[in-house]
Amino acid sequence: AQSVTQPDIHITVSEGASLELRCNYSYGATPYLFWYVQSPGQGLQLLLKYFSGDTLVQGIKGFEAEFKRSQSSFNLRKPSVHWSDAAEYFCAVRGNTPLVFGKGTRLSVIA
Amino acid sequence: GAGVSQSPSNKVTEKGKDVELRCDPISGHTALYWYRQRLGQGLEFLIYFQGNSAPDKSGLPSDRFSAERTGESVSTLTIQRTQQEDSAVYLCASSEDRGLGNTIYFGEGSWLTVV
């Protein structure tokens, strides 16, 4: 069965600084990987997904993620964080079952 | 509507009562999912419907939880004899079909508080 680990529960960054959110997955075959964002009081919105091809994936809102098979990782990055990026971020993996989510990383943005 | 619609958006119920949560998936989506999100936690898979196939109930935490889906439309999640630990956001989602790479679209959730 697949699983996802997001090692960082809470991250605080300054507005304009770069961001990297970590995600490690466990799955025996090539996984389908996703990043979702959840803003306060709102549902989950898909930022980006990967299942084949180029290992660097571009998403919405200026986010990107890189799939590294050797490290079983799918880290999310953004070169310059905006205050509106403050939210909860979830990494998810899909193999032969429905989406399995990590516990999330809460991002706070300070001026 | 254009997105996944859930109702009620908020529900407060007394311990021991039954509750029903409703989900309207995106029109044409044959796959429908229910997840639970407890405060400060990730999403736990509950149940998955795909067309007319038997649902995947492997995530239901106890026999107090059940769900139905009428054809490829509305789904209802029922929790019987609610307990305080059932307090959570219940999220419904849908996708075009069971394709692994398909985007899964989530509703805004039903916030359940058991007092």
Side-chain angles (χ1 to χ4, degrees), chain B residues 7-76:
Chain B
S7 61
S9 54
N10 284 283
K11 175 74 175 179
V12 179
T13 190
E14 292 181 352
K15 178 181 173 181
K17 295 284 180 70
D18 297 351
V19 296
E20 285 189 352
L21 308 175
R22 176 189 167 103
C23 173
D24 268 294
I26 294 172
S27 178
H29 282 192
T30 62
L32 186 146
Y33 314 78
W34 283 98
Y35 284 82
R36 178 172 70 177
Q37 185 179 24
R38 289 174 164 152
L39 186 64
Q41 299 294 312
L43 281 76
E44 304 170 70
F45 165 71
L46 297 177
I47 188 169
Y48 161 55
F49 296 89
Q50 170 57 50
N52 294 320
S53 303
D56 177 354
K57 304 180 182 179
S58 60
L60 294 179
S62 77
D63 59 8
R64 295 188 296 106
F65 288 73
S66 63
E68 294 183 348
R69 186 180 187 193
T70 306
E72 295 182 354
S73 59
V74 171
S75 175
T76 302

Side-chain angles (χ1 to χ4, degrees), chain A residues 32 34 36 38 41-44 46 49 51 88 90 94-104, chain B residues 33 35 37 40-43 45 48 56 91 95 98-108 111:
Chain A
Y32 290 74
F34 305 79
Y36 281 83
Q38 185 178 39
Q42 298 187 17
L44 279 83
L46 179 69
K49 61 182 178 181
F51 48 92
E88 188 92 19
F90 293 95
R94 189 169 191 187
N96 54 0
T97 62
L99 275 178
V100 173
F101 286 84
K103 293 190 182 299
Chain B
Y33 314 78
Y35 284 82
Q37 185 179 24
Q41 299 294 312
L43 281 76
F45 165 71
Y48 161 55
D56 177 354
L91 290 161
S95 64
R98 64 190 307 164
L100 296 181
N102 286 342
T103 297
I104 297 178
Y105 297 88
F106 284 81
E108 294 189 7
W111 292 71

Side-chain angles (χ1 to χ4, degrees), chain A residues 7-84:
Chain A
D8 304 305
I9 296 173
H10 183 205
I11 286 182
T12 300
V13 299
S14 299
E15 191 169 15
S18 63
L19 170 71
E20 183 169 29
L21 302 182
R22 296 184 291 165
C23 172
N24 292 97
Y25 69 90
S26 174
Y27 184 61
T30 300
Y32 290 74
L33 296 160
F34 305 79
W35 274 99
Y36 281 83
V37 60
Q38 185 178 39
S39 298
Q42 298 187 17
L44 279 83
Q45 181 181 23
L46 179 69
L47 287 176
L48 47 79
K49 61 182 178 181
Y50 169 82
F51 48 92
S52 67
D54 193 345
T55 56
L56 184 63
V57 181
Q58 303 297 318
I60 62 171
K61 304 184 179 185
F63 285 92
E64 66 178 27
E66 186 171 13
F67 171 60
K68 293 185 177 180
R69 184 187 303 274
S70 61
Q71 298 177 18
S72 297
S73 69
F74 188 56
N75 294 349
L76 182 71
R77 301 194 294 247
K78 186 170 184 177
S80 177
V81 169
H82 188 261
W83 65 266
S84 61

Side-chain angles (χ1 to χ4, degrees), chain B residues 70-99:
Chain B
T70 306
E72 295 182 354
S73 59
V74 171
S75 175
T76 302
L77 177 69
T78 302
I79 309 173
Q80 296 179 309
R81 306 182 302 281
T82 52
Q83 304 294 314
Q84 288 185 329
E85 62 262 28
D86 299 333
S87 296
V89 179
Y90 290 84
L91 290 161
C92 179
S94 70
S95 64
E96 287 186 9
D97 57 38
R98 64 190 307 164

